[in-house]
Amino acid sequence: MNVRNITLDVNGTVRSATAEDRTSLADMLRHGMGLTGTHTACEQGECGACTVLLDEVPVRSCLVLAVQAHGRSVHTVEGREGPGGELSPLQRALVAQHGLQCGFCTPGLLMALHYADGAGLSAEQAEEQILPCHLCRCTGYNGIRAAVRSHFARAGQAAP
Ligand code: FES
Ligand code: FES
């Protein structure tokens, strides 16, 4: 068993943890760093629950080894809160449009939508390119679609 010390910039703070070579980034974030907002379900790259941003790009953190993330930048859902735990505009849109129920899929979906927001995708592009990559067993997607449309329509009028 080969254990290494892994150092990441996580949500703007440099943090370290030990991980075996086989440890996934998702497991290191959850169990090594206590960032349990990143969820795991399928652990096969299918469901999107574990999505985080690695060097600003969405990845399935169940498919990335912790050692591959060494020295790189990671953003998790914990980093999306504003000062004092204030919700981000996307989080507020999901709440307002009933875009979540159990919330299990929500952190990964949020990270991908934040990426889409920053990349300048339209609501239609976000619906077509992001939502099919995130399995939600609760909402039927209607509330999620409504949240995406309302948020991206606003973001088109003003900076997010
Ligand atoms: S847990 Fe990573 S894609 Fe499902
Ligand atoms: S809100 Fe429950 S899985 Fe999406």
Side-chain angles (χ1 to χ4, degrees):
M1 182 172 69
N2 203 1
V3 177
R4 298 175 194 266
N5 195 42
I6 309 294
T7 300
L8 313 172
D9 182 320
V10 185
N11 300 325
T13 301
V14 176
R15 297 188 57 176
S16 296
T18 54
E20 295 177 29
D21 284 349
R22 65 180 182 174
T23 302
S24 70
L25 175 59
D27 282 345
M28 191 186 68
L29 289 169
R30 288 180 56 82
H31 306 301
M33 297 183 169
L35 295 169
T36 54
T38 299
H39 295 164
T40 57
C42 69
E43 300 191 69
Q44 296 180 359
E46 296 287 340
C47 73
C50 65
T51 300
V52 300
L53 303 187
L54 180 61
D55 290 340
E56 310 296 337
V57 175
V59 296
R60 309 298 216 208
S61 63
C62 68
L63 297 184
V64 176
L65 293 172
V67 293
Q68 292 176 295
H70 177 67
R72 299 171 72 181
S73 156
V74 175
H75 287 275
T76 69
V77 71
E78 287 89 349
R80 304 315 309 189
E81 291 181 351
E86 182 186 328
L87 298 182
S88 71
L90 262 169
Q91 287 171 315
R92 289 201 297 273
L94 282 171
V95 171
Q97 301 294 336
H98 307 288
L100 72 161
Q101 291 181 26
C102 79
F104 197 87
C105 68
T106 310
L109 175 64
L110 269 169
M111 297 314 294
L113 288 175
H114 277 295
Y115 169 79
D117 207 358
L121 268 62
S122 66
E124 292 73 22
Q125 289 171 322
E127 282 188 62
E128 287 172 9
Q129 297 175 26
I130 303 293
L131 300 196
C133 303
H134 292 266
L135 299 183
C136 176
R137 286 176 284 188
C138 301
T139 65
Y141 292 90
N142 287 338
I144 294 174
R145 289 186 188 285
V148 167
R149 287 181 197 141
S150 72
H151 174 78
F152 282 74
R154 268 201 311 278
Q157 295 161 3

